[in-house]
Amino acid sequence: MTRQALIIGAGPAGLTAALELLRHSDIIPIVLEADDCVGGISRTVNYRGNRIDIGGHRFFSKSDWVMNWWRTILPVYDPQHAPDQPEAEITYRNQTRTVSTTPIQGDGEHVFLIRNRLSRIYFLRKFFDYPLKLSVTTFGNLGLVRMLRISISYAQSQLKPIRHERSLEDFLINRFGRELYRTFFKDYTEKVWGVSCDEISAEWGAQRIKGLSIRSALAHALGKLLPKRHDVAQKDINTSLIERFLYPKYGPGQMWGTVAEQVQQRGGILHYRHSVIGLHHEAGRITTVVAQNLDNGETVSFMADFVISTMAVSELVRALGKDVPRVVQDIAFNLPYRNFITVGLLVRRMKANCQSRSTQANHMPPDNWIYIQERDVKVGRLQIFNNWSPGLVRDPDTVWLGLEYFCNQGDDLWQMSDEQLKFLGEKELIQINLLEPNAVLDSVVIRMPKAYPAYFGSYAQFDQVRAYLDPINNLFLVGRNGMHRYNNQDHSMLTAKLAVEHIIAGNPDKTALWAVNINDEYHEEHKA
């Protein structure tokens, strides 16, 4: 009899699992997606020919498997090298390596581009390098007094670090000093998460910015002064410091749309607008998955030999029903999430700024994104989609911006109408001197609920939820929301890969999945 795996969610983890099952087994994946498109937060939204990458997705990984997997879906194209120089360099896994840029067959539309990476901090109405550099610009922007306070504070943190890092605040102070933490980290982080840094687990810092510190930033800067040696590995490079990355010509949705096509061509099944509402289980196994067709309200039941879930843990526990112990339900239902709003603004030009490094007539900065650390506005980050790929912008003479806001379900920001959010976005960019009045040509609002699983509140008891779910031997949790872990898409893919390997091997142990981005060789911070 044909075995089938029910995959809940068609984001990077779910689609990776589906394609890996089809490539390496006879198990048929049935993918249930509540939305009308694939990709999850890694989708691309096409608004009148201008495309929005929700959150910004660099296709970069220290995992060779992930890098090679991506390139089996989309070939790499770099017009600066092909066809006369069919290879180009990109830095990943701590090494500078080459990728093939063999001339593309057909129209050359379904390709990866090699893009330069630049992201900076905007603070005090000035641009700062990210990560911060000991440069004339940094000294001039901060001033002598503030620089002295930062230096003394950093020295104190190194001489007398906080011994037990209980919070994200402790984690950041130990690596950057209290003054630099207060200047560049505290307000921005609390804008993103909506709570004080001393309420966020240090685990978030260990996972998201491990290996990044003043010491590593200085080592990286010094390493750039040395001549390149192509025959050996370069200095270790933290993900936050990479300088070139791959990017689909039409955004991340192009990658995951192509994967979905391959899944269906190989015999996989993809149901859109199907929301999972029930998981029947007995004797330590899921037997049936119940989904509701959101178009007609009908419920559909699917027999399940295996279940791979990327749905939010809170929703998964609710779908498991009343047999789940009350303590597990209470923890799961109270797991915190941050919602995400992108306000897309199409403008003819930006405001001239002598620090922006712009070489464009429309004053567009060269950044992929800019961290907005000004305390008098709510916007957290500014995407400049032109610099991700020319394919994201219909008219190259315009500037296509994405203003990112972070909020909770039901708070004032989330409840604003689209028109109010559009007005807010334009007003805030004018307020911080990045935009002239009456510059906006068009605008759109994109909302993403539960975009970021958070590391505070009932998350402190999450181990009890995992202890209940892991023994269900044919249920595998993968991906960002599926594991309530703020993973990048490559981490999510690796959890999906491991889940498939465990299913094929008949191994119900989930330990290796939870170890991704925690203590394996993928780690960006290597310990002696």
Side-chain angles (χ1 to χ4, degrees), residues 280-325:
H280 298 161
H281 53 106
E282 58 184 50
R285 293 180 61 84
I286 305 294
T287 57
T288 310
V289 176
V290 181
Q292 183 178 44
N293 185 323
L294 299 178
D295 290 326
N296 58 27
E298 295 180 354
T299 58
V300 186
S301 295
F302 300 89
M303 301 298 292
D305 295 292
F306 309 97
V307 177
I308 298 176
S309 174
T310 73
M311 70 192 298
V313 172
S314 57
E315 297 171 7
L316 173 72
V317 170
R318 184 172 283 109
L320 285 167
K322 297 180 180 179
D323 291 339
V324 178

Side-chain angles (χ1 to χ4, degrees), residues 329-477:
Q329 293 186 46
D330 288 344
I331 296 168
F333 296 163
N334 288 288
L335 286 172
Y337 300 85
R338 285 290 269 177
N339 292 357
F340 185 77
I341 299 172
T342 298
V343 178
L345 298 181
L346 183 69
V347 304
R348 180 63 64 186
R349 64 176 60 239
M350 297 183 69
K351 189 171 183 178
N353 185 311
C354 61
Q355 281 198 342
S356 74
R357 303 183 194 170
S358 177
T359 60
Q360 306 293 320
N362 57 19
H363 308 305
M364 180 181 71
D367 306 70
N368 307 110
W369 68 70
I370 300 169
Y371 296 100
I372 307 297
Q373 303 205 174
E374 302 291 23
R375 295 164 184 172
D376 57 338
V377 293
K378 297 180 183 298
V379 61
R381 201 167 64 167
L382 177 66
Q383 301 279 354
I384 304 175
F385 295 119
N386 306 59
N387 297 327
W388 285 91
S389 169
L392 299 185
V393 187
R394 185 180 65 181
D395 180 356
D397 292 327
T398 59
V399 185
W400 183 221
L401 303 173
L403 289 75
E404 298 179 350
Y405 292 90
F406 311 94
C407 54
N408 291 329
Q409 193 86 27
D411 69 11
D412 291 343
L413 263 178
W414 189 253
Q415 293 187 43
M416 279 186 176
S417 68
D418 286 1
E419 291 307 312
Q420 288 173 320
L421 286 165
K422 293 173 185 178
F423 175 79
L424 176 67
E426 180 179 2
K427 179 179 74 73
E428 290 197 336
L429 286 193
I430 294 171
Q431 182 176 331
I432 60 176
N433 298 327
L434 291 178
L435 204 62
E436 298 280 5
N438 304 313
V440 175
L441 303 173
D442 202 356
S443 54
V444 68
V445 173
I446 309 295
R447 301 170 190 260
M448 289 295 296
K450 295 184 177 177
Y452 301 122
Y455 288 54
F456 49 85
S458 70
Y459 177 77
Q461 291 83 44
F462 184 77
D463 283 349
Q464 295 182 57
V465 179
R466 178 184 164 187
Y468 175 78
L469 296 174
D470 275 1
I472 303 176
N473 61 23
N474 67 338
L475 173 65
F476 296 83
L477 309 187

Side-chain angles (χ1 to χ4, degrees), residues 48 63 99 145 158 168 193 217 225 229 244 346 375 384 388 400 422 433 451 496 503 514 516 518 528:
R48 298 179 178 176
S63 164
V99 293
V145 173
Q158 299 307 293
L168 180 60
W193 294 107
L225 299 177
R229 299 173 59 191
R244 304 186 85 197
L346 183 69
R375 295 164 184 172
I384 304 175
W388 285 91
W400 183 221
K422 293 173 185 178
N433 298 327
I503 286 171
W514 292 102
V516 170
I518 295 297

Side-chain angles (χ1 to χ4, degrees), residues 28 39 56 65 92 105 112 116-117 137 152 166 174 212 214 219 239 250 253 266 286 327 348 366 370 375 464 474 488:
I28 303 299
W65 181 86
Y92 68 97
Q105 301 298 319
F112 270 126
N116 291 324
R117 183 264 196 186
T137 299
I152 293 170
R166 295 183 176 86
N174 274 352
L212 184 59
I214 288 180
T239 296
Y250 294 110
R266 289 172 174 262
I286 305 294
V327 64
R348 180 63 64 186
I370 300 169
R375 295 164 184 172
Q464 295 182 57
N474 67 338
N488 291 328

